[in-house]
Amino acid sequence: MKKPLVQLKQFRNEKRLTQQEMADFIGVSLSMYEKVERGYIKASRNFMDAIKARYSQIDINKIFFE
């Protein structure tokens, strides 16, 4: 069963970015970003590192593990 990452979507919306803009900004494909945000696949370490590299203030634990 898929579990959408509500916190990831909320963070993206707070930044006023579309999924495409966020994917481009962190350097992943739109397809990959959508699948992670919608819970179809789990975020890889590289995916989490890409977000952390662009948003150093983000708490990865709150976004991906709560």
Side-chain angles (χ1 to χ4, degrees):
M1 184 169 163
K2 68 178 181 158
K3 182 182 177 204
L5 289 176
V6 175
Q7 298 91 336
L8 181 58
K9 183 176 181 178
Q10 181 179 5
F11 178 77
R12 177 179 56 79
N13 287 334
E14 287 171 4
K15 299 297 180 189
R16 298 184 184 261
L17 298 172
T18 65
Q19 287 181 330
Q20 180 69 65
E21 290 167 334
M22 179 65 103
D24 290 344
F25 191 64
I26 65 170
V28 300
S29 70
L30 173 59
S31 175
M32 168 71 80
Y33 185 85
E34 288 174 331
K35 288 175 184 174
V36 171
E37 188 176 279
R38 292 177 181 165
Y40 290 115
I41 60 173
K42 291 185 178 184
S44 68
R45 179 66 182 190
N46 288 340
F47 185 94
M48 289 185 258
D49 287 346
I51 291 179
K52 187 69 174 170
R54 292 293 191 169
Y55 297 103
S56 59
Q57 80 281 8
I58 195 171
D59 184 348
I60 293 295
N61 290 322
K62 282 187 175 182
I63 299 292
F64 294 101
F65 301 110
E66 287 186 0

